[in-house]
Amino acid sequence: MWTFTSDVEEYAAVAEPFLLGDPVGNTVPLTVLANLRAGMPAEDARFGWWTVDGEVRGAAFRTPPFPIGLAVMPVEAVAPLVEALDREITALVGRAELTDEVCRLLGPPKRVISERLYRLGTLRVPDVPGRGRPATPADFPLMVSWYQAFGDEVRLPEGDAADRVARRMAGRELFVWEADGVPVSLAGLSPAAGGVCRIGPVYTPPSCRRRGYGAAVTAYASQTGLAERCDEVVLFTDLDNPTSNAIYQAIGYEPVSDYAHVTYH
């Protein structure tokens, strides 16, 4: 049975213990929950949990303008979720077996982005000229422009880029790699949730690509996470981008499971 609420604390009280049972697989739901508690605005938010014999076995959330997010859950929970949400489903993201079931029920989507979740094993720091550092207020305009460019490139909603960058900089969540004193690449690092931090986004402007900067800033942010914030670090990659998948594996990231962003409208 699915139960829904617009009260984030009611949702957290019921669903968070379940989500913490698999903090790697549920990295996105846990991070969203942490961000909401930290004051991230979310108008018309809706949260749900799936129970079987009184035990929570799944969860889902909607925080517009972002897609509906699916936590780890049994495939049999998908059909009643689709029935309950009905016309609310314009886009969603979750494990591939769950999004495949949604597509079976609703028909072919307008767009699918296939992703893979990776977990850091043994970090191998690449030898790349330059140095990593936290983003500073002086970097704000550049970070906003890179956030916007990243969103345009991947064609996924990032919300208000200036607001997101301001919030992430205030939380020391954005890092840059600089070469010859000039920022050349960006990596975000989510707050720890269930002992897990997540890298993302990672963006290098086209003029600075193919020099190892993306790998370098990812390794730097990963090191920072492990040293100061979390027990494990994860990230998502676009499976249609073999270059990024190879780069992250080269610095020690190992595949966990496949996900998909599915868009209907």
Side-chain angles (χ1 to χ4, degrees), residues 71-241:
V72 175
M73 68 180 77
V75 172
E76 55 264 30
V78 173
L81 177 65
V82 169
E83 183 178 0
L85 297 180
D86 193 20
R87 296 177 185 177
E88 295 180 37
I89 300 178
T90 58
L92 50 82
V93 58
R95 283 193 175 185
E97 67 268 21
L98 304 178
T99 58
D100 285 349
E101 179 68 0
V102 172
C103 294
R104 186 186 72 80
L105 294 165
L106 295 182
K110 181 178 179 181
R111 182 180 179 221
V112 176
I113 299 176
S114 297
E115 297 185 323
R116 182 160 290 156
L117 175 65
Y118 286 84
R119 173 185 2 213
L120 181 61
T122 301
L123 180 64
R124 295 183 286 274
V125 178
D127 184 11
V128 177
R131 73 180 186 102
R133 63 168 175 79
T136 68
D139 298 312
F140 181 77
L142 182 62
M143 297 298 98
V144 172
S145 69
W146 282 2
Y147 241 78
Q148 291 170 329
F150 173 81
D152 291 343
E153 195 166 287
V154 300
R155 295 186 294 157
L156 289 172
E158 281 293 326
D160 185 310
D163 178 70
R164 286 178 66 79
V165 168
R167 287 179 177 277
R168 300 204 72 177
M169 287 183 69
R172 294 186 69 250
E173 297 176 30
L174 297 182
F175 301 86
V176 298
W177 191 261
E178 59 178 30
D180 298 322
V182 177
V184 291
S185 194
L186 156 74
L189 180 73
S190 74
V196 179
C197 287
R198 188 173 69 257
I199 298 289
V202 177
Y203 180 76
T204 304
S207 62
C208 298
R209 292 178 184 173
R210 296 180 176 82
R211 304 181 198 180
Y213 298 144
V217 74
T218 300
Y220 177 78
S222 302
Q223 278 183 311
T224 301
L226 292 173
E228 302 176 4
R229 307 181 187 187
C230 57
D231 302 317
E232 295 198 78
V233 185
V234 299
L235 57 77
F236 286 94
T237 64
D238 182 345
L239 282 177
D240 287 337
N241 187 337

